[in-house]
Amino acid sequence: METKRPFTSILAKLKDAGLRPTRQRLSLAKLLFESGDRHVSAEDLHAEAVANRISVSLATIYNTLHQFTSAGLLREVVVEPGRSYFDNNITSHHHFFVEGEGELIDIPASEVALSQLPAAPAGMKVSRVDVIVRLANDN
């Protein structure tokens, strides 16, 4: 029986995306991709890294999240100016945003219907539509 090394799938994911698998990228990718679908802020990931004894600066977290996003491994969800979450589910879907709690909840793409989009400017095409439905407490 063949044993799988701990970083094998993460290593392949980074290499397939064209990213050099540095120690910090491997450690952060393990946190991001080995526990199912999740939405994480840079600050949350930094706190998680520190709790797991991964020595990394917040600036490195931001750089790595943006590199992963550019490589197609993550999707950035901007909920308001200066506030972003990074989603490791890169399939087509939308989000509920729970205001006051800072929580994102996935909405399957099939549950959102758009009847019309404006025509894209000349020489451009629509690459993706992101819908964020904002939720507030009902009291």
Side-chain angles (χ1 to χ4, degrees), residues 5-24:
R5 294 173 37 199
F7 284 98
T8 303
S9 63
I10 298 297
L11 185 64
K13 184 181 274 287
L14 293 179
K15 285 184 175 182
D16 289 347
L19 293 171
R20 192 167 54 88
T22 64
R23 181 183 51 81
Q24 287 180 325

Side-chain angles (χ1 to χ4, degrees), residues 2 17 22 27 35 41 43 46 70 72 74 83 91-93 98 114-115 124 127 131:
E2 186 178 322
T22 64
S27 297
S35 54
S41 69
E43 292 78 10
H46 184 254
S70 293
L74 294 174
R83 188 165 184 197
T91 64
S92 179
H93 69 284
V98 184
L114 299 173
S115 62
M124 306 289 284
S127 65
V131 174

